[in-house]
Amino acid sequence: MNKDIRVMQIIKTTEGASWALHQVKFLVRCGIDVHVILNNNTGKFYNKWKESGATIYTLESILNPLHPFKTLKSILSLRRLIKEVNPDIIHSHFFINTIHMRMASFRLKPTRIFQVPGPLHLEHAIFKYIDLFSARKNDRWIASSKHIKSLYIKSGINEERVDLSYYGNDYSQFNTSDSDHLKRDNHLRNKYGFKDSDIVIGNVCYIYPPKKFLGQKVGLKNHEVMIKAIEIARQQEPRIKGLFIGGQWGDSTSYEQLLRRSIPVDERENIVITGKIPPSEAAKGWQNLDYAIHLPLSESCGGVIEPLLAQRPVISCKTGGIPEIIIEGYTGFITSRDNPQEVASKILEVIKNKKNAIEYTLNGKNLVLDMFNIERTAKEILEIYKKIMSIQNSYEEYSSKKYLKRVNP
């Protein structure tokens, strides 16, 4: 029966979005006829896409008012491909790809789905309007957090048109003994002169400059507040050190350098921004930290998953879908994202309650392994497809609170 469903998925990148690759591989195993459009035939995941079992095409999505002829050519090329493949469903994952796809599929019959990876475009009036205005009456959305779903419903979209499915990934390497992930990797700690007795707090992520056209005054990941909070916390507990692993996204380092200069000169050995490091080092980044901190301006559920899997206590905020994972007093700790003094107080509180912090982190790890399990989330996508096609399905919206009640009655 699944072979009767033909799906076209549109993917923005072959450098990342491994979750989309895992999703497609599962759908192919379930018998879905999947056709994938990639932006290019390079990138570290391209060969894995070729091996996924899906039919692969490459077509650059261009949607640039400064290049109208290239944009039109790209739209017409995609339209021809849609007519050729004749899918039942077109499934896109990113905002620009979705708008490009909607223009290319104007008056064509496939049901169109936008699986929304993050809420950023919905938090700004112009981009939210473009999303809602370009959709037709039978278009659907798959929200990657309850927070995103609520934003669509508040915008007037009927709840029946918005499903929920968290973006899953292959976390099988973390499904091992709990003690394995408590082990420390001292490579970066030693590299930057930190002692075993130091309490190292930080995160592993790209650094994104403020998007001034969106009114941002600090970077998307809010390094400014995290750095200042660690400065303040160090006044009471000098063993605290800050380690922010990762560099600025793209080719420039100007904003990364600006962040470094914002650290007082006498604190620059205690609060370190590594810049870009080899992937092999970044993969072990969490094991160099004692505590993780993540205070983004906009987020679905990212940034707190990997530290929980690595069993590092997480201090985060109420941004987006984060409270769906980080539940104060059970899986982690919630604080302000704007007030460095409050964040510093929370850091000191968590350090004083280390035993509870470790216990909460184990709860969080178990939740993540269930909530973001790729087999579970990809099956949800399959059931959503069946629902759209009016085929018998067993789709049920996931609830982290229900899971926690089930495992801790």
Side-chain angles (χ1 to χ4, degrees):
M1 180 167 59
N2 293 339
K3 290 185 179 297
D4 295 332
I5 304 176
R6 176 173 293 179
V7 176
M8 174 181 282
Q9 287 218 19
I10 301 177
I11 313 296
K12 180 174 73 171
T13 176
T14 54
E15 290 291 343
S18 60
W19 34 262
L21 173 61
H22 289 300
Q23 182 188 107
V24 164
K25 287 167 70 175
F26 178 88
L27 293 171
V28 169
R29 290 203 308 270
C30 290
I32 301 292
D33 182 11
V34 184
H35 298 249
V36 174
I37 300 179
L38 303 173
N39 239 14
N40 55 61
N41 59 2
T42 60
K44 64 181 180 180
F45 288 119
Y46 179 73
N47 287 335
K48 291 185 178 180
W49 277 109
K50 293 286 287 185
E51 297 166 0
S52 68
T55 304
I56 304 298
Y57 309 85
T58 56
L59 193 156
E60 187 178 6
S61 295
I62 300 173
L63 199 60
N64 189 335
L66 299 178
H67 298 284
F69 294 110
K70 287 184 177 180
T71 296
L72 180 60
K73 182 179 178 181
S74 176
I75 291 170
L76 292 176
S77 295
L78 178 56
R79 187 175 180 84
R80 284 194 293 270
L81 191 53
I82 293 171
K83 288 182 175 180
E84 177 185 326
V85 174
N86 192 28
D88 301 296
I89 295 169
I90 307 177
H91 181 166
S92 61
H93 295 267
F94 298 95
F95 177 75
I96 294 297
N97 292 80
T98 298
I99 305 306
H100 185 264
M101 172 270 287
R102 288 174 179 171
M103 295 175 73
S105 59
F106 180 67
R107 290 188 176 177
L108 298 183
K109 70 175 185 177
T111 298
R112 306 183 303 189
I113 304 174
F114 176 16
Q115 187 168 0
V116 188
L120 186 60
H121 78 280
L122 294 169
E123 295 165 350
H124 299 277
I126 292 175
F127 298 99
K128 179 173 75 171
Y129 176 79
I130 292 171
D131 181 6
L132 302 182
F133 178 78
S134 64
R136 60 193 183 198
K137 291 183 179 180
N138 67 334
D139 278 2
R140 304 181 68 97
W141 292 264
I142 301 175
S144 59
S145 68
K146 289 186 177 181
H147 171 70
I148 292 174
K149 181 172 181 176
S150 73
L151 292 177
Y152 278 105
I153 293 170
K154 289 176 184 176
S155 299
I157 300 299
N158 189 300
E159 187 173 359
E160 290 297 314
R161 298 172 65 192
V162 189
D163 293 302
L164 170 70
S165 183
Y166 294 96
Y167 270 116
N169 216 324
D170 181 7
Y171 294 122
S172 57
Q173 71 271 31
F174 292 100
N175 199 7
T176 57
S177 169
D178 296 328
S179 61
D180 290 346
H181 300 297
L182 291 171
K183 294 177 181 176
R184 180 188 285 176
D185 183 293
N186 286 326
H187 175 71
L188 290 174
R189 295 173 73 106
N190 294 338
K191 182 176 180 179
Y192 294 104
F194 295 158
K195 302 173 184 175
D196 283 345
S197 58
D198 287 335
I199 303 168
V200 182
I201 301 172
N203 62 23
V204 183
C205 66
Y206 281 112
I207 295 171
Y208 296 93
K211 295 181 183 293
K212 294 182 179 180
F213 66 94
L214 296 179
Q216 293 178 357
K217 295 182 179 179
V218 298
L220 182 65
K221 300 300 181 181
N222 209 6
H223 282 77
E224 290 88 344
V225 169
M226 294 188 290
I227 289 169
K228 187 63 179 176
I230 290 174
E231 282 182 44
I232 296 170
R234 277 185 41 76
Q235 293 172 13
Q236 292 190 46
E237 176 50 89
R239 292 181 300 160
I240 292 175
K241 307 286 183 174
L243 181 60
F244 297 95
I245 301 168
Q248 184 172 335
W249 175 263
D251 297 326
S252 174
T253 62
S254 58
Y255 175 62
E256 178 186 317
Q257 296 298 335
L258 182 65
L259 286 175
R260 285 198 182 95
R261 291 194 297 271
S262 74
I263 303 170
V265 174
D266 60 350
E267 289 286 355
R268 291 179 187 174
E269 290 184 355
N270 300 313
I271 302 174
V272 173
I273 299 171
T274 68
K276 291 179 181 177
I277 61 174
S280 57
E281 288 187 356
K284 297 180 178 179
W286 299 112
Q287 274 70 34
N288 284 265
L289 304 176
D290 296 302
Y291 298 88
I293 186 166
H294 183 56
L295 308 174
L297 301 186
S298 181
E299 191 70 90
S300 183
C301 294
V304 298
I305 295 172
E306 289 190 357
L308 285 176
L309 290 171
Q311 284 185 243
R312 265 48 190 178
V314 176
I315 300 167
S316 196
C317 57
K318 292 184 178 180
T319 299
I322 289 174
E324 296 164 43
I325 309 171
I326 303 299
I327 301 168
E328 176 73 33
Y330 192 81
T331 60
F333 303 89
I334 294 291
T335 187
S336 166
R337 75 175 188 194
D338 304 314
N339 188 324
Q341 187 65 59
E342 286 186 29
V343 178
S345 296
K346 180 61 74 170
I347 289 171
L348 293 167
E349 174 193 328
V350 172
I351 290 171
K352 288 178 183 177
N353 294 279
K354 184 176 180 179
K355 184 178 179 180
N356 286 341
I358 296 298
E359 179 185 338
Y360 299 163
T361 303
L362 181 56
N363 293 338
K365 175 190 170 184
N366 291 334
L367 173 61
V368 165
L369 287 172
D370 184 73
M371 190 172 181
F372 299 93
N373 178 283
I374 184 59
E375 297 285 323
R376 191 195 67 75
T377 59
K379 185 176 185 296
E380 276 179 341
I381 298 299
L382 174 60
E383 298 304 317
I384 290 170
Y385 287 169
K386 290 180 179 179
K387 178 181 171 183
I388 290 169
M389 298 289 293
S390 299
I391 299 171
Q392 185 176 1
N393 69 88
S394 58
Y395 173 74
E396 181 180 354
E397 190 171 287
Y398 187 87
S399 168
S400 56
K401 291 183 178 179
K402 285 183 180 179
Y403 168 80
L404 293 172
K405 285 181 180 179
R406 188 169 74 246
V407 297
N408 295 284

